Amino acid sequence: MAATDLHALLKSLRVWPPETTELRPFDPAAAPAEPLPLFTTWFAEAVAAGQPEPHTVSLATSDEEGRADVRIVMLHGADADGWSFASHATSRKGHQLSARPYAALAFYWPVLGRQVRLRGPVTAAPSEESQADLHARSTGALAAALTGRQSGLLSSQEELREESDAAWERARADPAAPSPTWTLYRLRPQEAEFFQGDPDRRHVRLRYVAEEDGRWRRELLWP
């Protein structure tokens, strides 16, 4: 197999090619007073524009020593209580959120040249709510949760197949089977930034900052 020239490959790529990306105008002066309505609108527009998996989001956490970690998770909802995602409390991210309950989320929707960045404290929902969230998902999601041991060491693929087969069987037989470590987390943003790409590189960055009185301060950032 011929070696890949990474640098040449990188130089051949474009960001936001016009045949697949629509860079829409964004007037920050017309943006709503709070970030949630704007997020809801942008999310719906990303879906309508055909953005693949717009509900996937990068989640950044840190461990007890302050070392950063990041992975892709799925958004489970967004409302006045925060932006929600889920995982096992015993997973790496679960341990990190227990030690340092503060995180950041980053959405990227290249079909519109848009990013949304959020950061703030994270809280865990009560067990009843977490289980309800799990059981509202697919049979496959329940089977994966019942397999458990997320982020733990795996001895072999055969061990995974055996555990997964058993979990699938249980999920099909008992759709209400509990997964005690499954936890719904909510990030309540203290900052929310909306980035709209511009073809002339005059990108628009609007940041919302939470004030102590519950209102939001809006400010523009240099691209």
PDB file of all heavy atoms in Angstrom, residues 125-135 182 184:
ATOM      1  N   ALA A 125     -29.205  14.337  36.757  1.00  0.00           N
ATOM      2  CA  ALA A 125     -30.630  14.241  37.041  1.00  0.00           C
ATOM      3  C   ALA A 125     -30.890  13.116  38.036  1.00  0.00           C
ATOM      4  O   ALA A 125     -30.072  12.197  38.177  1.00  0.00           O
ATOM      5  CB  ALA A 125     -31.398  13.983  35.745  1.00  0.00           C
ATOM      6  N   PRO A 126     -32.015  13.151  38.732  1.00  0.00           N
ATOM      7  CA  PRO A 126     -32.369  12.044  39.630  1.00  0.00           C
ATOM      8  C   PRO A 126     -32.460  10.727  38.862  1.00  0.00           C
ATOM      9  O   PRO A 126     -32.691  10.712  37.649  1.00  0.00           O
ATOM     10  CB  PRO A 126     -33.740  12.461  40.176  1.00  0.00           C
ATOM     11  CG  PRO A 126     -33.793  13.944  40.011  1.00  0.00           C
ATOM     12  CD  PRO A 126     -33.006  14.240  38.767  1.00  0.00           C
ATOM     13  N   SER A 127     -32.288   9.624  39.591  1.00  0.00           N
ATOM     14  CA  SER A 127     -32.270   8.310  38.965  1.00  0.00           C
ATOM     15  C   SER A 127     -33.546   8.032  38.172  1.00  0.00           C
ATOM     16  O   SER A 127     -33.488   7.492  37.065  1.00  0.00           O
ATOM     17  CB  SER A 127     -32.093   7.230  40.036  1.00  0.00           C
ATOM     18  OG  SER A 127     -32.149   5.933  39.464  1.00  0.00           O
ATOM     19  N   GLU A 128     -34.693   8.416  38.708  1.00  0.00           N
ATOM     20  CA  GLU A 128     -35.954   8.143  38.021  1.00  0.00           C
ATOM     21  C   GLU A 128     -35.988   8.833  36.660  1.00  0.00           C
ATOM     22  O   GLU A 128     -36.444   8.256  35.661  1.00  0.00           O
ATOM     23  CB  GLU A 128     -37.141   8.611  38.873  1.00  0.00           C
ATOM     24  CG  GLU A 128     -37.292   7.892  40.193  1.00  0.00           C
ATOM     25  CD  GLU A 128     -36.348   8.407  41.272  1.00  0.00           C
ATOM     26  OE1 GLU A 128     -35.662   9.433  41.027  1.00  0.00           O
ATOM     27  OE2 GLU A 128     -36.291   7.776  42.339  1.00  0.00           O
ATOM     28  N   GLU A 129     -35.527  10.050  36.612  1.00  0.00           N
ATOM     29  CA  GLU A 129     -35.513  10.790  35.351  1.00  0.00           C
ATOM     30  C   GLU A 129     -34.495  10.196  34.386  1.00  0.00           C
ATOM     31  O   GLU A 129     -34.740  10.125  33.173  1.00  0.00           O
ATOM     32  CB  GLU A 129     -35.211  12.259  35.613  1.00  0.00           C
ATOM     33  CG  GLU A 129     -35.397  13.152  34.408  1.00  0.00           C
ATOM     34  CD  GLU A 129     -35.205  14.616  34.730  1.00  0.00           C
ATOM     35  OE1 GLU A 129     -35.110  14.979  35.918  1.00  0.00           O
ATOM     36  OE2 GLU A 129     -35.150  15.412  33.767  1.00  0.00           O
ATOM     37  N   SER A 130     -33.347   9.782  34.908  1.00  0.00           N
ATOM     38  CA  SER A 130     -32.332   9.174  34.057  1.00  0.00           C
ATOM     39  C   SER A 130     -32.839   7.876  33.434  1.00  0.00           C
ATOM     40  O   SER A 130     -32.624   7.608  32.248  1.00  0.00           O
ATOM     41  CB  SER A 130     -31.056   8.910  34.869  1.00  0.00           C
ATOM     42  OG  SER A 130     -30.467  10.111  35.303  1.00  0.00           O
ATOM     43  N   GLN A 131     -33.524   7.048  34.220  1.00  0.00           N
ATOM     44  CA  GLN A 131     -34.062   5.794  33.690  1.00  0.00           C
ATOM     45  C   GLN A 131     -35.169   6.050  32.680  1.00  0.00           C
ATOM     46  O   GLN A 131     -35.282   5.351  31.663  1.00  0.00           O
ATOM     47  CB  GLN A 131     -34.570   4.912  34.835  1.00  0.00           C
ATOM     48  CG  GLN A 131     -33.484   4.442  35.793  1.00  0.00           C
ATOM     49  CD  GLN A 131     -32.361   3.705  35.092  1.00  0.00           C
ATOM     50  OE1 GLN A 131     -32.581   2.693  34.421  1.00  0.00           O
ATOM     51  NE2 GLN A 131     -31.137   4.207  35.228  1.00  0.00           N
ATOM     52  N   ALA A 132     -35.987   7.068  32.916  1.00  0.00           N
ATOM     53  CA  ALA A 132     -37.035   7.421  31.955  1.00  0.00           C
ATOM     54  C   ALA A 132     -36.417   7.861  30.637  1.00  0.00           C
ATOM     55  O   ALA A 132     -36.918   7.530  29.554  1.00  0.00           O
ATOM     56  CB  ALA A 132     -37.926   8.520  32.530  1.00  0.00           C
ATOM     57  N   ASP A 133     -35.317   8.595  30.710  1.00  0.00           N
ATOM     58  CA  ASP A 133     -34.615   9.010  29.502  1.00  0.00           C
ATOM     59  C   ASP A 133     -34.114   7.791  28.739  1.00  0.00           C
ATOM     60  O   ASP A 133     -34.260   7.712  27.510  1.00  0.00           O
ATOM     61  CB  ASP A 133     -33.447   9.914  29.878  1.00  0.00           C
ATOM     62  CG  ASP A 133     -32.489  10.165  28.711  1.00  0.00           C
ATOM     63  OD1 ASP A 133     -32.827  10.994  27.849  1.00  0.00           O
ATOM     64  OD2 ASP A 133     -31.426   9.514  28.667  1.00  0.00           O
ATOM     65  N   LEU A 134     -33.553   6.838  29.441  1.00  0.00           N
ATOM     66  CA  LEU A 134     -33.029   5.635  28.799  1.00  0.00           C
ATOM     67  C   LEU A 134     -34.145   4.846  28.131  1.00  0.00           C
ATOM     68  O   LEU A 134     -34.016   4.410  26.988  1.00  0.00           O
ATOM     69  CB  LEU A 134     -32.304   4.772  29.833  1.00  0.00           C
ATOM     70  CG  LEU A 134     -31.831   3.395  29.355  1.00  0.00           C
ATOM     71  CD1 LEU A 134     -30.844   3.537  28.195  1.00  0.00           C
ATOM     72  CD2 LEU A 134     -31.193   2.628  30.506  1.00  0.00           C
ATOM     73  N   HIS A 135     -35.257   4.668  28.831  1.00  0.00           N
ATOM     74  CA  HIS A 135     -36.326   3.820  28.314  1.00  0.00           C
ATOM     75  C   HIS A 135     -37.140   4.500  27.216  1.00  0.00           C
ATOM     76  O   HIS A 135     -37.963   3.848  26.558  1.00  0.00           O
ATOM     77  CB  HIS A 135     -37.219   3.357  29.464  1.00  0.00           C
ATOM     78  CG  HIS A 135     -36.496   2.481  30.428  1.00  0.00           C
ATOM     79  ND1 HIS A 135     -36.562   2.647  31.798  1.00  0.00           N
ATOM     80  CD2 HIS A 135     -35.635   1.439  30.229  1.00  0.00           C
ATOM     81  CE1 HIS A 135     -35.798   1.747  32.395  1.00  0.00           C
ATOM     82  NE2 HIS A 135     -35.228   1.002  31.463  1.00  0.00           N
ATOM     83  N   TRP A 182     -26.806   4.401  34.522  1.00  0.00           N
ATOM     84  CA  TRP A 182     -27.140   5.320  33.425  1.00  0.00           C
ATOM     85  C   TRP A 182     -27.607   6.656  34.009  1.00  0.00           C
ATOM     86  O   TRP A 182     -28.487   6.701  34.857  1.00  0.00           O
ATOM     87  CB  TRP A 182     -28.225   4.729  32.543  1.00  0.00           C
ATOM     88  CG  TRP A 182     -28.543   5.586  31.352  1.00  0.00           C
ATOM     89  CD1 TRP A 182     -29.580   6.445  31.203  1.00  0.00           C
ATOM     90  CD2 TRP A 182     -27.784   5.662  30.141  1.00  0.00           C
ATOM     91  NE1 TRP A 182     -29.533   7.046  29.979  1.00  0.00           N
ATOM     92  CE2 TRP A 182     -28.429   6.602  29.297  1.00  0.00           C
ATOM     93  CE3 TRP A 182     -26.622   5.033  29.696  1.00  0.00           C
ATOM     94  CZ2 TRP A 182     -27.950   6.911  28.039  1.00  0.00           C
ATOM     95  CZ3 TRP A 182     -26.149   5.347  28.436  1.00  0.00           C
ATOM     96  CH2 TRP A 182     -26.804   6.266  27.626  1.00  0.00           C
ATOM     97  N   LEU A 184     -28.530  10.867  33.294  1.00  0.00           N
ATOM     98  CA  LEU A 184     -28.807  12.013  32.434  1.00  0.00           C
ATOM     99  C   LEU A 184     -28.135  13.233  33.054  1.00  0.00           C
ATOM    100  O   LEU A 184     -28.356  13.553  34.217  1.00  0.00           O
ATOM    101  CB  LEU A 184     -30.316  12.244  32.327  1.00  0.00           C
ATOM    102  CG  LEU A 184     -30.771  13.384  31.417  1.00  0.00           C
ATOM    103  CD1 LEU A 184     -30.483  13.051  29.955  1.00  0.00           C
ATOM    104  CD2 LEU A 184     -32.255  13.677  31.617  1.00  0.00           C
TER     105      LEU A 184
END
